[in-house]
Amino acid sequence: MARQPIEVAFERRGNGSPLVLLHGIGHRWQAWAPVLDALSARHDVIAVDLPGFGRSPLLPDGRGYDMPSAVQACADIFEDLGLSRPHVAGNSLGAVISLELASRGLVSSATALAPAGFWTPRDRAWALRVLSMIRLSGRSPSWLLTPLIRNRLFRMAAGCALYGHPSRMTAEIMLADLASMVGGGAFDLVAEAGRDYVFASPPPSVPVTVAWGTRDRILWPRQARRAAELLPRARHVWLHRAGHVPMIDEPEQVASLILATCASVTARAA
């Protein structure tokens, strides 16, 4: 019986070897907007709304949201888009999916920005609690929420959980991100499926870079030590002054890191 295609929304730009971008839980492809121009100058870039987030519908009936299911869904999305072993970069949830794809040899390289899965039970509970509280705040009535978000001081205070430089976040983007988080039908499904998840896959044989923002307040930087222990052959990098979503904070650093990881495949082959 033929597999049902997985419907996803995505933004595609540029030419060259394919590079797929995967966002974090509750986010959307627009999280990558600050780095799209730099990346698409060298690659065929596909920034995806993961199933059940952004404008992508939930997975077809019968498909789950645990990590093996997420990895298979991404592999199927690659097939549906005509991609063979693309490069991949991800943030948070998307970062650990990228590492799992790399571990299975399904991608050419992986860049993981603050990957989930290298946490203790206490760290995991903290991350899910904070993200759930942010999502809950997005359910506030618009007559209350919109004026608050348009206030620069409030926006900086509210954004410090996710960003190292919350002043760089505009009111329009923050409101749209909150709306996307509230509307993400897969949020609770992914959170529930991930409550017992830890990264335990074999180290990938393809080039891998793991980067952590020094101001990450969702997945605390101490988790980078665990990632270094489990992925000894990967390149491990600090993103100074960046928070949990470093594409907003340090777009030049992030773009340079992703491009270098992709280029290392060619260098290794040579």
Side-chain angles (χ1 to χ4, degrees):
M1 185 176 179
R3 173 180 64 80
Q4 182 179 352
I6 296 177
E7 182 182 348
V8 289
F10 59 90
E11 174 75 1
R12 191 166 192 170
R13 301 182 190 176
N15 296 287
S17 55
L19 166 61
V20 178
L21 306 177
L22 305 176
H23 59 73
I25 186 172
H27 223 154
R28 54 192 184 132
W29 73 258
Q30 286 87 345
W32 298 97
V35 298
L36 281 182
D37 286 345
L39 298 179
S40 61
R42 299 190 189 180
H43 291 277
D44 172 16
V45 179
I46 306 99
V48 175
D49 278 343
L50 289 169
F53 296 106
R55 295 190 175 183
S56 292
L58 292 167
L59 287 167
D61 290 345
R63 302 195 66 148
Y65 290 86
D66 58 4
M67 186 55 68
S69 299
V71 171
Q72 186 58 55
C74 285
D76 291 343
I77 291 168
F78 295 166
E79 181 181 348
D80 293 340
L81 293 174
L83 307 176
S84 175
R85 297 186 76 249
H87 302 283
V88 66
N91 175 222
S92 195
L93 169 66
V96 73
I97 292 175
S98 298
L99 294 174
E100 294 280 8
L101 287 163
S103 179
R104 291 160 174 78
L106 297 173
V107 296
S108 293
S109 74
T111 305
L113 310 174
F118 297 93
W119 43 29
T120 65
R122 185 176 181 179
D123 289 334
R124 180 174 58 230
W126 165 264
L128 292 175
R129 187 180 304 116
V130 173
L131 291 170
S132 295
M133 289 176 62
I134 294 172
R135 187 174 187 235
L136 182 62
S137 72
R139 299 185 186 276
S140 302
S142 60
W143 61 263
L144 174 62
L145 185 63
T146 300
L148 285 174
I149 296 299
R150 293 195 183 283
N151 181 287
R152 184 174 180 273
L153 292 179
F154 179 88
R155 190 165 66 251
M156 288 180 64
C160 67
L162 290 172
Y163 308 107
H165 298 291
S167 61
R168 298 179 184 177
M169 175 60 63
T170 66
E172 289 71 25
I173 293 176
M174 184 174 283
L175 286 167
D177 283 348
L178 280 171
S180 179
M181 203 167 192
V182 170
F187 187 98
D188 291 334
L189 297 168
V190 171
E192 181 61 32
R195 289 190 184 279
D196 296 320
Y197 171 78
V198 293
F199 183 86
S201 296
S205 59
V206 300
V208 168
T209 299
V210 179
W212 230 285
T214 57
R215 295 180 180 177
D216 195 329
R217 298 178 180 90
I218 301 294
L219 298 176
W220 295 94
R222 61 176 174 265
Q223 296 171 48
R225 293 195 297 270
R226 179 66 171 161
E229 292 172 1
L230 293 177
L231 299 169
R233 292 182 299 205
R235 179 189 179 198
H236 295 271
V237 178
W238 290 112
L239 296 171
H240 296 286
R241 301 177 298 280
H244 185 61
V245 187
M247 301 85 78
I248 296 289
D249 292 320
E250 300 292 338
E252 292 183 359
Q253 281 192 65
V254 168
S256 177
L257 203 64
I258 295 172
L259 291 173
T261 308
C262 296
S264 67
V265 176
T266 303
R268 177 183 289 190

